[in-house]
Amino acid sequence: MPEISSYTVNFGPQHPAAHGVLRLVLEMDGEVVRRADPHIGLLHRATEKLAETKPFNQSIGYMDRLDYVSMMCNEHAYVLAIEKLLGVRPPERAQYIRVMFDEITRILNHLLWIGAHGLDVGAMTVFLYAFKEREELMDCYEAVSGARMHATYYRPGGVYRDLPDRMPRYRVSEYHNEKDIQRMNAEREGSMLDFLEAFCDRFSGTIEEIETLLTDNRIWKQRLVDVAVVSPERALQLGFTGPMLRGSGVEWDLRRKQPYEVYDRMEFDIPVGTNGDCYDRYLVRMEELRQSVAIIRQCIDWLRRNNGPVMLNDHKIAPPSREEMKDDMESLIHHFKLFTEGYCTPPGEVYASVEAPKGEFGAYIVSDGANKPYRLKLRAPGFAHMSAMDEMAQGHMLADVVTIMGTLDIVFGEVDR
Amino acid sequence: MPSKTETLLEAVKRALGDHLVAAKQDYGEVDIEVAPAGLYTAMETLRDHDELAFAQLLDIAGVDYAAYGEDEWITDEATNTGFSRGVDGFTTGRLGLTGIYGVQPISANTGRRFAAVYHLLSIQHNHRIRVRCFAADDDLPMLDSIVPLWASANWQEREAFDLYGIVFNGHPDLRRILTDYGFVGHPFRKDFPLIGNVEVRYDENRGRVVYEPVSIEPRVLVPRVIRDDNRYADPAEGAADA
């Protein structure tokens, strides 16, 4: 009788657990994975090449579309790199706003991750809980930028505009009567900061709820504990960053070790794992949610007490106000030049990175002094994590592949760029 | 007291010796260039040397320097009709492209066209470094693979190969990674047009997806301009002129 040594399973690219467009070719020995070969690039849009043909500011919108669940963190890295080239620092208030929105983004990302991860492993409820909260945070995005997801809010020299004094409210419609609307608008009476503070007060309870559903859940633990164990040495070798690295017990967080903006003034803890398995990475991310809330609170507190500009007054890189343009010729010229030609940076090469929710997101810009980057390379954390798929999946069962994909926190927008 | 980058730069100079071609610190970052022949040994030293200890390879970026410093709008002299308005001639993304603009050959200075740029991080000492290595041959750019040193180099090198055609000698599995199955060319090279060479559509008659030459024309919305901005001029140079 001929012996069948191994066979190949094609997973994706249209699989609900493929987190987008991953094609995974699995070499199986019975139900055990012998080799996993991810085929990526199905979402490759050549963002970096497109950026070479556009003035610096016009590519900020593309950054949102890379890791499309942590939009503002991507913008942040790109904008930081440009600011480094230009040698400018945004006003203090803008820095606080950026830190606050970075943390809002982290919560957005981790909520989607826990929802999708739970769904992959078989816990439907978490998904619904998480998406309900995400909606509120996207309203904050919308309040400041006008867009729920692709904000283009961070600009070189600050942020697009100051926080709104009034939160947008719901109106009575054929679907919601007066009483509903009153309830829905209860938290929206004040400014955006009031709305966000109310969210923070409530959100700790939501984290507890999610943890009650999962942390001691027997099925959840059976699926996650001791799956895809990565030692600290291997984590470094494989280029892990963010929660993937911290889950393996390496205490490394750019917000603390190489602080940017005003993170050095923030008080927060860095959670680390001990075993380096999927369960530890889950715990690390859940704790990060709590720390993010703490940081947002500190920002709200500061922003309430301090006013000031949110954008530099240098009209070579930041546009003048519409009002100024109405009666000042020079402002009109500045506006015209800025939005047609853009600005030229000094020649040079810079790398700037932020602690994005998934890990270190970096932007490397080569500039030859033109109004467009000569070369832009984006360092996506997901790319390194995805490349470890083979090593992490080897020896595990087919069902664990889905768990591993969940723990990697993959978004194909940034892996394929 | 010397700054952190200065200390690192000194340590790197001592450790690498002859392998080092150039070293500088700009924008608070340490940036070095190594010779292609000594790339592997240099990287090994960077990883294992006690003072350096770069345990993590974060990123490898391929760069094509063929069109570096070329702009699409003449700004040093104005004619009586003002600056030229349109984009004429050959520009980035159209070098070597056949079409209504003819063919423009690439005239890079040999051996300085393709480079791989490595970003390293040491979490032990909390410092970073950028290592640049130019491939010696422009027609067949080849560098030594550093996969044995850092496992994360595997996909990064595949990406640089896919997008720039830099061949990494000794790579265990050098396949394309981001582009389509059966893709021809290296899309991030400066002579590869932004619009691509082929387009795909579903053919009803043949019942399958077909590839055809692109039907659109390349265009430039905002020309590339390099302005000699006096704000960025080297103060030392300005003093010499005066």
Side-chain angles (χ1 to χ4, degrees):
Chain A
M1 190 179 143
E3 204 168 298
I4 302 170
S5 55
S6 69
Y7 55 95
T8 311
V9 173
N10 187 43
F11 179 101
Q14 264 90 1
H15 190 283
H19 286 225
V21 284
L22 168 69
R23 182 181 169 207
L24 199 56
V25 179
L26 298 165
E27 230 168 75
M28 308 291 295
D29 181 5
E31 215 186 321
V32 178
V33 177
R34 285 278 161 255
R35 180 168 170 265
D37 180 19
H39 288 209
I40 63 165
L42 285 99
L43 200 59
H44 179 60
R45 295 147 298 177
T47 304
E48 293 156 354
K49 185 152 178 124
L50 283 170
E52 288 172 10
T53 64
K54 289 187 165 48
F56 283 95
N57 270 16
Q58 290 184 19
S59 301
I60 302 174
Y62 284 123
M63 300 302 127
D64 291 311
R65 287 152 180 84
L66 288 168
D67 180 354
Y68 43 76
V69 290
S70 43
M71 299 72 84
M72 286 204 195
C73 288
N74 310 339
E75 287 175 23
H76 202 166
Y78 179 62
V79 166
L80 272 182
I82 297 173
E83 282 172 354
K84 209 171 185 182
L85 262 176
L86 292 168
V88 297
R89 294 256 300 162
E92 204 176 8
R93 188 172 166 85
Q95 297 192 21
Y96 271 94
I97 293 177
R98 282 185 185 178
V99 167
M100 186 171 82
F101 270 94
D102 271 13
E103 295 309 317
I104 291 178
T105 308
R106 194 176 317 278
I107 297 180
L108 272 174
N109 178 79
H110 283 5
L111 281 177
L112 183 118
W113 161 81
I114 188 67
H117 193 21
L119 205 57
D120 289 347
V121 175
M124 180 84 196
T125 323
V126 188
F127 186 80
L128 301 172
Y129 281 27
F131 268 64
K132 185 170 149 279
E133 301 300 329
R134 264 171 69 82
E135 207 56 35
E136 310 260 293
L137 293 175
M138 289 212 209
D139 282 351
C140 291
Y141 261 53
E142 192 176 356
V144 293
S145 72
R148 275 160 50 81
M149 296 185 77
H150 303 306
T152 326
Y153 181 54
Y154 296 1
R155 307 283 168 92
V159 295
Y160 168 56
R161 61 178 180 188
D162 207 342
L163 304 172
D165 296 328
R166 189 174 174 279
M167 197 67 193
R169 286 169 210 160
Y170 291 106
R171 261 180 272 166
V172 180
S173 67
E174 53 182 305
Y175 307 105
H176 296 290
N177 59 28
E178 193 77 44
K179 211 175 136 203
D180 283 345
I181 293 299
Q182 248 178 16
R183 178 179 49 79
M184 287 159 74
N185 281 341
E187 286 176 359
R188 294 167 179 265
E189 296 303 324
S191 68
M192 201 209 95
L193 288 177
D194 296 332
F195 178 76
L196 199 58
E197 190 163 40
F199 173 84
C200 289
D201 292 340
R202 194 160 31 80
F203 189 60
S204 313
T206 313
I207 304 174
E208 292 302 323
E209 273 179 352
I210 294 177
E211 285 234 58
T212 324
L213 284 170
L214 297 177
T215 306
D216 290 324
N217 183 321
R218 190 157 56 99
I219 305 170
W220 181 251
K221 281 180 114 169
Q222 279 170 348
R223 291 297 302 272
L224 263 70
V225 174
D226 277 343
V227 172
V229 180
V230 182
S231 70
E233 294 76 33
R234 283 313 290 171
L236 289 174
Q237 262 283 316
L238 293 163
F240 281 10
T241 46
M244 296 293 292
L245 186 60
R246 291 194 283 276
S248 296
V250 181
E251 195 201 336
W252 178 259
D253 191 320
L254 288 178
R255 293 177 293 171
R256 174 67 52 78
K257 306 286 176 180
Q258 298 177 358
Y260 47 96
E261 309 295 8
V262 287
Y263 272 115
D264 47 348
R265 297 184 212 164
M266 297 291 155
E267 266 180 46
F268 62 98
D269 298 327
I270 305 171
V272 288
T274 46
N275 305 320
D277 59 359
C278 291
Y279 190 67
D280 275 20
R281 288 187 279 269
Y282 154 74
L283 291 176
V284 165
R285 287 189 176 113
M286 289 312 277
E287 185 54 33
E288 280 187 15
L289 282 174
R290 292 198 182 87
Q291 298 304 326
S292 290
V293 172
I295 297 174
I296 292 176
R297 277 184 196 284
Q298 294 168 49
C299 291
I300 293 176
D301 189 42
W302 191 93
L303 288 166
R304 280 233 171 93
R305 286 185 286 108
N306 299 278
N307 275 317
V310 293
M311 187 67 125
L312 289 179
N313 200 23
D314 178 358
H315 294 322
K316 296 287 179 212
I317 50 173
S321 72
R322 305 289 314 179
E323 216 169 316
E324 268 176 79
M325 277 163 52
K326 296 265 198 286
D327 48 30
D328 182 14
M329 188 65 189
E330 187 140 335
S331 296
L332 194 66
I333 297 171
H334 270 133
H335 182 271
F336 177 74
K337 285 308 274 184
L338 188 63
F339 284 98
T340 50
E341 186 181 297
Y343 45 83
C344 296
T345 65
E349 316 205 348
V350 291
Y351 177 81
S353 55
V354 297
E355 182 75 26
K358 294 182 170 63
E360 175 174 335
F361 190 95
Y364 166 55
I365 298 182
V366 180
S367 169
D368 57 355
N371 57 340
K372 307 171 181 182
Y374 180 77
R375 163 84 166 118
L376 169 70
K377 174 71 168 61
L378 298 158
R379 195 270 166 195
F383 190 79
H385 297 161
M386 193 73 237
S387 70
M389 184 76 203
D390 183 33
E391 186 171 325
M392 289 171 89
Q394 269 175 27
H396 281 298
M397 307 288 252
L398 179 60
D400 293 330
V401 170
V402 176
T403 314
I404 295 169
M405 214 113 74
T407 198
L408 288 173
D409 196 4
I410 292 293
V411 161
F412 275 87
E414 61 158 8
V415 175
D416 294 347
R417 278 158 291 149
Chain B
M1 199 185 125
S3 73
K4 206 173 167 185
T5 47
E6 281 166 10
T7 327
L8 173 60
L9 202 57
E10 284 310 309
V12 170
K13 279 179 183 162
R14 259 180 283 123
L16 292 187
D18 290 345
H19 293 309
L20 203 64
V21 176
K24 63 177 177 188
Q25 41 170 333
D26 273 342
Y27 305 101
E29 296 173 26
V30 179
D31 185 314
I32 62 169
E33 190 192 324
V34 297
L39 175 67
Y40 189 89
T41 6
M43 292 304 247
E44 198 170 21
T45 317
L46 286 172
R47 189 190 67 168
D48 296 335
H49 195 284
D50 285 338
E51 278 180 83
L52 308 172
F54 288 102
Q56 256 189 320
L57 171 79
L58 287 177
D59 197 17
I60 301 177
V63 186
D64 176 1
Y65 282 96
Y68 192 84
E70 281 181 27
D71 57 358
E72 299 162 333
W73 199 327
I74 300 154
T75 53
D76 23 329
E77 61 178 47
T79 62
N80 55 359
T81 55
F83 290 127
S84 63
R85 290 291 148 192
V87 182
D88 43 346
F90 313 94
T91 57
T92 310
R94 286 201 240 138
L95 298 158
L97 174 69
T98 46
I100 53 167
Y101 301 99
V103 181
Q104 166 91 342
I106 287 198
S107 52
N109 33 358
T110 314
R112 302 292 288 181
R113 186 176 168 193
F114 293 107
V117 181
Y118 303 82
H119 286 96
L120 306 181
L121 169 71
S122 163
I123 65 165
Q124 190 187 334
H125 300 299
N126 193 4
H127 54 210
R128 291 171 187 274
I129 198 169
R130 179 162 57 236
V131 183
R132 186 176 301 98
C133 186
F134 283 94
D137 186 2
D138 280 350
D139 295 325
L140 181 64
M142 196 185 276
L143 291 172
D144 284 334
S145 170
I146 53 163
V147 176
L149 297 175
W150 288 282
S152 59
N154 189 326
W155 276 28
Q156 306 281 9
E157 286 182 355
R158 276 177 69 184
E159 185 191 314
F161 162 71
D162 188 1
L163 302 180
Y164 285 95
I166 302 170
V167 179
F168 290 91
N169 201 6
H171 190 287
D173 182 23
L174 199 63
R175 285 176 293 157
R176 283 183 181 276
I177 185 163
L178 288 177
T179 51
D180 197 2
Y181 302 112
F183 191 88
V184 180
H186 299 287
F188 275 35
R189 288 187 172 188
K190 289 288 178 182
D191 54 350
F192 193 94
L194 186 69
I195 56 167
N197 289 323
V198 289
E199 58 188 28
V200 286
R201 68 176 176 86
Y202 179 76
D203 192 315
E204 282 280 342
N205 301 328
R206 276 179 280 186
R208 63 179 174 87
V209 172
V210 290
Y211 288 77
E212 287 164 348
V214 279
S215 57
I216 51 173
E217 276 175 19
R219 57 179 183 163
V220 171
L221 296 176
V222 181
R224 190 181 166 78
V225 181
I226 298 179
R227 299 211 178 266
D228 296 316
D229 197 322
N230 59 7
R231 286 175 300 160
Y232 308 138
D234 195 348
E237 268 178 45
D241 290 345

